[in-house]
Amino acid sequence: MASVEVSWSFEQQDAGRIETLLRAFLRDSQARSVLLVDRTGHLITTVGEPTRFDPTAFATLAAADFSANDQLASMIGETEFSSLFHQGERESMFLADVARRVIFVALFDNRATLGMVRLKAKSVVRELGHIFEALFRRSVAAGSPRLEIGFAAEVADEIDRLFGEA
Amino acid sequence: MSMINYASREINCKIVYYGPGLGGKTTNLEYVYEKVTPTTRGKLISLATETERTLFFDFLPVDLGSIRGFNTRFHLYTVPGQVYYNASRKLILKGVDGVVFVADSQVERLDANVESMHNLYDNLAEYGLNLRKLPFVIQYNKRDLPNICSVRELEENLNPDGVPHFEAVGSRGVGVFDTLKAVSKLVIKFLS
């Protein structure tokens, strides 16, 4: 049985360290952009050239892709596929696991090579792993993040307004 | 497992529509997609077979806008209802914050409803989750059809804990927003 995963929060200080790492990766690998996606399908952050697609939908599909491949891995007797590569005619993507909770997605075109992306991703993924493991430990210690008092009432009003039968 | 992103000032919550095949889960999402203002919703993604049966999931993000400086968003998912797609169903439940069980009210689907409810409990247990401790509502769909169970009969079979329930005719949108409002409020209350 899997352990219960508590909700977690992503702070400004985490964002700063991660962005620095990802910018260095983009510079060294010549990849166009990187997205970090929570395994449940939520987009955490994106760095690099602005994407031309809907990043929310992309994050959901990337998480589903990675999860499905995890199951395929276990069917053939592997614990996981720690990275995936999808090759297109002009655009390609490389996905790698970070600390079993996050997916690193690098998008690159013909200016970059898979070998270089994979090589440079290796160290950045390891560094990200340390950061996220510390972040999750902090979340577990602090318990699930709570929203401030009064927030729920305001959201409920907004829900009534938005979902009040159109 | 919602995510509060203080860096980008976002709160994302995941709501999953569960239930037996052809019960109306996708229809619920399609109705929401049609009726909410285009600026508040993202693209409706359906990973379906050629005959439009859900293969992996449907996905619709709905944006509540900025509340106290946080952009609050609900991610609505459906699972494939057909029994043999259990591996896909289990994956979609990962990180769920709230569940809507869409039951098919037709008499001949009662057993399928019960089986799907058991399957929901089992799949959540694999993530260490207990449905009794999650925001959860039930929708009794297809109330316009002739050969349907009474609500009392459905309650006895599917809702021993008395969670909020709603009668619906998904194809005409009846009860769709009542269901969504109830589960989304429960999710936010749970987070608070």
Side-chain angles (χ1 to χ4, degrees), chain A residues 13 22 26 50 56 60 79 123 129-130 143-144 153 158:
Chain A
Q13 71 207 42
L22 296 181
L26 290 177
T56 305
T60 302
T79 355
S123 59
H130 296 322
S144 294
E158 196 53 32

Side-chain angles (χ1 to χ4, degrees), chain A residues 10 12 14 34-35 42 64-65 81-82 86 106 119 137 139 157:
Chain A
F10 187 65
Q12 194 63 51
D14 307 316
V34 181
L35 295 92
H42 302 310
D65 178 24
F81 292 140
S82 57
H86 297 306
L119 179 71
R137 275 198 301 274
S139 289
D157 288 347

Side-chain angles (χ1 to χ4, degrees), chain A residues 30 42-43 53 58 73 95 97 102 104 110 113-114 122 143 159:
Chain A
Q30 298 287 300
H42 302 310
L43 179 69
F53 48 77
F58 185 90
L95 300 92
D97 170 71
V102 174
F104 166 95
N110 296 335
T113 62
L114 172 62
K122 201 171 176 180
I159 287 169

Side-chain angles (χ1 to χ4, degrees), chain A residues 12-25:
Chain A
Q12 194 63 51
Q13 71 207 42
D14 307 316
R17 288 178 65 196
I18 287 168
E19 188 171 334
T20 306
L21 272 176
L22 296 181
R23 290 212 179 279
F25 164 78

Side-chain angles (χ1 to χ4, degrees), chain A residues 162 166, chain B residues 32-43 60-63:
Chain A
L162 184 65
Chain B
V32 172
Y33 179 81
E34 276 173 29
K35 292 296 177 183
V36 295
T37 337
T39 50
T40 61
R41 46 119 162 114
K43 197 175 163 188
L60 176 65
V62 182
D63 207 331

Side-chain angles (χ1 to χ4, degrees), chain A residues 32-54:
Chain A
R32 295 200 305 119
S33 50
V34 181
L35 295 92
L36 291 183
V37 176
D38 175 67
R39 285 263 190 156
T40 65
H42 302 310
L43 179 69
I44 301 170
T45 192
T46 170
V47 172
E49 291 178 23
T51 51
R52 282 167 301 192
F53 48 77
D54 173 359

Side-chain angles (χ1 to χ4, degrees), chain B:
Chain B
M1 194 193 63
S2 56
M3 188 185 75
I4 302 178
N5 192 330
Y6 288 98
S8 58
R9 309 287 292 171
E10 281 181 352
I11 297 171
N12 292 311
C13 304
K14 181 173 186 175
I15 294 173
V16 174
Y17 284 69
Y18 211 92
L22 292 173
K25 300 175 291 296
T26 300
T27 308
N28 265 265
L29 252 63
E30 286 171 344
Y31 188 79
V32 172
Y33 179 81
E34 276 173 29
K35 292 296 177 183
V36 295
T37 337
T39 50
T40 61
R41 46 119 162 114
K43 197 175 163 188
L44 174 63
I45 290 177
S46 288
L47 302 187
T49 65
E50 284 177 8
T51 52
E52 298 195 353
R53 300 295 305 272
T54 306
L55 175 65
F56 200 165
F57 61 86
D58 305 301
F59 169 70
L60 176 65
V62 182
D63 207 331
L64 287 186
S66 180
I67 296 164
R68 297 200 175 192
F70 279 91
N71 197 23
T72 308
R73 193 178 288 140
F74 290 106
H75 287 180
L76 311 183
Y77 288 78
T78 69
V79 297
Q82 289 160 285
V83 175
Y84 47 85
Y85 286 138
N86 195 43
S88 309
R89 268 196 299 280
K90 208 183 305 178
L91 293 181
I92 301 308
L93 283 174
K94 188 174 177 62
V96 66
D97 293 302
V99 179
V100 175
F101 186 89
V102 180
D104 188 329
S105 295
Q106 296 177 93
V107 172
E108 65 270 24
R109 298 298 285 161
L110 185 59
D111 287 348
N113 289 326
V114 172
E115 187 185 352
S116 178
M117 186 68 88
H118 286 153
N119 176 255
L120 171 59
Y121 272 93
D122 290 347
N123 281 339
L124 285 171
E126 295 214 17
Y127 290 115
L129 295 172
N130 182 345
L131 192 55
R132 291 190 172 90
K133 293 179 182 165
L134 274 180
F136 176 46
V137 304
I138 299 178
Q139 180 187 83
Y140 299 126
N141 197 17
K142 307 194 182 184
R143 297 308 295 168
D144 58 333
L145 295 186
N147 187 27
I148 56 173
C149 297
S150 68
V151 170
R152 189 177 161 186
E153 196 176 354
L154 290 164
E155 284 281 275
E156 280 171 5
N157 281 279
L158 299 171
N159 194 10
D161 295 324
V163 300
H165 70 269
F166 300 89
E167 294 185 53
V169 182
S171 56
R172 296 209 305 268
V174 177
V176 169
F177 278 102
D178 290 336
T179 309
L180 178 55
K181 271 197 276 189
V183 73
S184 48
K185 283 182 185 177
L186 285 176
V187 166
I188 290 297
K189 199 173 157 194
F190 193 72
L191 276 179
S192 306

